Amino acid sequence: MAVIQVERKPLSFAERTYIPQILGGLKTTFKHLLKPTVTLQYPEQRPEIPKNYRGVPTLVKDPNGREKCVSCQLCEFVCPPKAIRITPGEIPEDSINAHVEKAPQAFDIDMLRCIYCGLCQEVCPEEAIWLQNQFSMSGYTRAEMVNNKAKLYELGGTLPDDHFKWDKKKSAEEHGNAH
Amino acid sequence: MFDFYFNLPLWLRLVLQGTAVILVLFPIAAACSMAERKISAWLQGRPGPNRTVPPILAWIPGIGVFQRLGLFQLAADGGKFTFKEDPIPGHVNKFYFVAAPILAMIPALSTIVVVPFGAYFNEAGKLVPIILANLDIGLLAVFAVSSLGVYAVILAGWASNSKYPFLGGVRASAQLISYELSMTLSVLPVFLWINAPGGEGTLSLFRVVELQSGSGFAWDSVWYVFYFPLSAFIFLVALFAETNRQPFDMPESESDLVGGFHTEYGAFKWSLFFVAEYCHMIVGSAVFILLFCGGWNPLPGLPLGDVIHWLSGFASWAAHPLVMGLIGIGIFLGKVFASIFFFMWVRWTLPRFRYDQVMTIGWKKLLPLAIANLIIYTLGIAVLAHLKK
């Protein structure tokens, strides 16, 4: 590459007084005075969240309103900061989904520990845990920062899901010949 | 009502007037801190403080405008400064440490005594200044008293018994003294011009404005900023340095001196330094406006007298001394606020100087310029006086 020697021009008298430059600067800043502000007024205005944003991990239900989580505890084992704590449980006898699968009795995610890595979502065989676009978790106490099962389902809501695995398992159990 | 007031003993009237002026000046200086935040926000394209509102007031409809303007920020800041914990470091000399902010306030508030902030015509048609003390040594008093402010800075830096405040205090004292010279030299041509040989000599700021209030295209209708542009420029630059405003923000430059001379101060004592700085700014811009920008005259060639005359054509009560005085004060304060806006505008435009640059500009650039300015105007005025004979 050719080395080009750039000759630095000596400053003119007007430039050495800095006054034209200062006046130019004042003009520039004054223009900004008249421009509209660009600040996002946060609590009222929310930023656009990208589609694949990895926010707070949540639990989701299928379109029939059933819990997708089967308390396999894979996410608990894979969680690097050990933020997830699952207490496995059975589905009650009187439920229509009894004997098909299991469901968590308690599901806590400690958001003070969570590092939003998304491994729980990767590992989940039921696609029950999703990192969604909720990005602002805050609270006044440590206890407030632990999301329990009810809170997780409230945050997660329903995920469109075409498999209806529960229905298939139920019918397979009733008519035999599973799979 | 006026008779009752003017029948009071002189000392009581002076105390009342002085208290009234300080009661106006202090809140304006405090409001400047809010204006600083707001104007800097606007210049940077952000809304600035617009959240604070007292819970009960928030229910009143229409209060949102004041909230968005950040007006309640002033009360919040004041309350915070008054009630938050104000620790005094264990390693300082308590007496001098506490005395420094008080000493900062005294010159800041007392220079206003000789600054006229309005005028009215009495029954004889003579212009009477609205001023606490119309001294013949007006400007000298301003310079003498306002330069006492440097003692507070040095005392604060020294009494803190800590490295950064000490360096800040030393830098501040050097800077303030350097620029005091150019400042004083720059206004001399104005007073050479006013004090024509053989006439009555004066340094009164009121007289300066009086000589700028000709109407129409008379010689004395031109503001002195057009007669003495270089003087005005030097005075303005020196004023920036004297009031420790950016880009001459040496005493408290956060980036290299933490907080400068007030590093160890907090809460109310710190806010006293802050208010003192703004008081200096207000009085400094007031002096600049009186000297170079026609004081309470709205426009060059359009003095206050003409405006009053024109207004009293519509409403006779406009010629009442009280109304005249209020109009004069209003115009003058408007100019002062414009000048304070300029201070803040410059702050968000220019980067801070390095300390050696501050010294170079002060001693190698401004001082020779001020001396040359003085010599040229002295010669010019001498030639003019000779031609007149």
Side-chain angles (χ1 to χ4, degrees):
Chain A
M1 244 168 81
V3 176
I4 302 168
Q5 291 280 341
V6 180
E7 197 184 338
R8 181 168 289 189
K9 273 188 257 170
L11 296 177
S12 69
F13 178 73
E15 281 167 344
R16 266 186 293 147
T17 61
Y18 293 116
I19 293 168
Q21 273 67 33
I22 289 172
L23 290 179
L26 287 174
K27 199 177 126 198
T28 308
T29 42
F30 193 78
K31 273 188 203 151
H32 281 274
L33 185 70
L34 307 173
K35 278 182 190 165
T37 56
V38 292
T39 313
L40 190 77
Q41 297 285 305
Y42 168 63
E44 293 91 31
Q45 301 172 359
R46 295 289 175 142
E48 283 281 319
I49 302 296
K51 241 184 166 177
N52 297 331
Y53 188 82
R54 296 199 308 202
V56 173
T58 59
L59 290 178
V60 291
K61 292 180 176 175
D62 77 355
N64 288 344
R66 296 176 185 125
E67 294 180 19
K68 293 180 83 174
C69 177
V70 294
S71 66
C72 69
Q73 292 181 300
L74 274 179
C75 53
E76 184 178 356
F77 297 142
V78 83
C79 183
K82 300 196 191 316
I84 300 177
R85 188 58 39 107
I86 299 170
T87 313
E90 294 286 337
I91 294 176
E93 290 283 345
D94 51 345
S95 168
I96 51 164
N97 295 317
H99 303 297
V100 177
E101 280 284 11
K102 295 179 176 186
Q105 198 180 4
F107 199 118
D108 293 329
I109 303 183
D110 187 352
M111 291 314 296
L112 292 172
R113 306 197 69 158
C114 177
I115 56 169
Y116 299 81
C117 63
L119 284 184
C120 48
Q121 181 185 340
E122 295 286 333
V123 82
C124 182
E126 301 290 327
E127 297 189 335
I129 187 162
W130 285 79
L131 266 64
Q132 296 199 346
N133 59 7
Q134 162 82 20
F135 59 89
S136 69
M137 274 296 299
S138 57
Y140 291 100
T141 58
R142 281 165 183 274
E144 249 178 273
M145 294 302 288
V146 179
N147 288 339
N148 60 14
K149 195 174 139 187
K151 183 81 194 290
L152 287 169
Y153 275 117
E154 185 198 319
L155 288 171
T158 305
L159 204 71
D161 181 358
D162 297 331
H163 299 308
F164 297 103
K165 183 190 143 197
W166 285 91
D167 293 344
K168 286 174 190 162
K169 291 212 82 164
K170 187 79 185 170
S171 66
E173 193 201 15
E174 278 165 6
H175 305 109
N177 190 19
H179 307 294
Chain B
M1 192 182 118
F2 290 115
D3 289 340
F4 170 74
Y5 181 72
F6 283 109
N7 285 335
L8 289 174
L10 183 65
W11 66 268
L12 188 59
R13 268 196 288 152
L14 287 179
V15 166
L16 284 177
Q17 284 171 4
T19 316
V21 168
I22 286 177
L23 282 182
V24 173
L25 182 67
F26 198 93
I28 291 180
C32 278
S33 67
M34 198 270 296
E36 175 101 60
R37 295 177 64 181
K38 211 60 199 170
I39 290 171
S40 57
W42 289 334
L43 284 171
Q44 292 183 329
R46 55 190 171 88
N50 62 352
R51 296 277 150 181
T52 321
V53 68
I56 302 161
L57 277 181
W59 300 333
I60 303 170
I63 213 89
V65 178
F66 300 107
Q67 188 190 351
R68 276 193 296 281
L69 278 175
L71 291 187
F72 297 109
Q73 200 66 42
L74 194 57
D77 284 345
K80 184 185 78 180
F81 282 140
T82 318
F83 293 115
K84 77 190 265 192
E85 190 189 357
D86 185 8
I88 296 180
H91 54 77
V92 301
N93 184 324
K94 283 202 178 58
F95 177 75
Y96 295 117
F97 187 78
V98 176
I102 301 168
L103 276 181
M105 284 309 289
I106 292 170
L109 287 177
S110 50
T111 36
I112 197 75
V113 167
V114 291
V115 175
F117 30 82
Y120 64 93
F121 293 93
N122 60 8
E123 282 102 8
K126 202 172 168 296
L127 199 61
V128 181
I130 303 171
I131 186 172
L132 289 177
N134 189 15
L135 302 177
D136 269 344
I137 55 157
L139 189 71
L140 205 58
V142 171
F143 282 163
V145 178
S146 71
S147 58
L148 292 179
V150 71
Y151 286 113
V153 174
I154 298 174
L155 194 64
W158 174 78
S160 294
N161 192 14
S162 157
K163 302 277 187 303
Y164 286 125
F166 183 72
L167 282 174
V170 170
R171 278 162 59 142
S173 57
Q175 174 188 325
L176 293 181
I177 291 165
S178 312
Y179 282 84
E180 195 82 34
L181 283 170
S182 334
M183 193 181 210
T184 317
L185 281 177
S186 72
V187 296
L188 284 181
V190 178
F191 285 93
L192 279 176
W193 177 249
I194 291 170
N195 298 310
E200 201 181 332
T202 182
L203 282 173
S204 159
L205 287 166
F206 171 62
R207 187 81 190 122
V208 180
V209 181
E210 218 182 356
L211 288 168
Q212 292 177 68
S213 17
S215 63
F217 294 96
W219 271 107
D220 59 351
S221 72
V222 182
W223 289 355
Y224 286 160
V225 67
F226 300 112
Y227 282 153
F228 309 98
L230 196 57
S231 289
F233 174 71
I234 297 168
F235 188 87
L236 196 63
V237 174
L239 192 62
F240 271 86
E242 286 288 301
T243 50
N244 300 334
R245 290 294 298 180
Q246 278 90 346
F248 296 98
D249 191 21
M250 285 303 115
E252 51 190 87
S253 53
E254 293 93 346
S255 48
D256 45 344
L257 277 188
V258 191
F261 68 93
H262 56 53
T263 304
E264 303 284 346
Y265 286 87
F268 198 67
K269 292 202 277 296
W270 181 82
S271 70
L272 279 184
F273 279 121
F274 207 57
V275 171
E277 185 186 314
Y278 282 117
C279 281
H280 275 300
M281 240 166 82
I282 291 167
V283 175
S285 1
V287 171
F288 178 78
I289 283 157
L290 291 167
L291 285 176
F292 296 106
C293 293
W296 45 84
N297 298 316
L299 285 171
L302 183 70
L304 181 66
D306 285 11
V307 174
I308 299 295
H309 186 72
W310 181 70
L311 276 180
S312 59
F314 295 107
S316 58
W317 47 262
H320 190 277
L322 194 67
V323 180
M324 270 195 280
L326 284 179
I327 292 172
I329 291 176
I331 293 169
F332 183 66
L333 276 185
K335 284 186 187 182
V336 170
F337 291 148
S339 161
I340 287 168
F341 170 76
F342 180 71
F343 271 87
M344 293 169 184
W345 182 13
V346 168
R347 173 180 178 166
W348 295 100
T349 303
L350 295 185
R352 176 183 283 137
F353 287 125
R354 231 170 35 223
Y355 193 66
D356 61 317
Q357 290 171 330
V358 171
M359 285 293 115
T360 312
I361 293 167
W363 288 102
K364 289 190 182 164
K365 302 275 156 53
L366 274 192
L367 189 60
L369 208 60
I371 293 172
N373 181 44
L374 176 62
I375 291 172
I376 289 167
Y377 274 105
T378 311
L379 290 177
I381 290 166
V383 169
L384 268 182
H386 188 73
L387 288 178
K388 253 194 206 166
K389 263 184 208 164

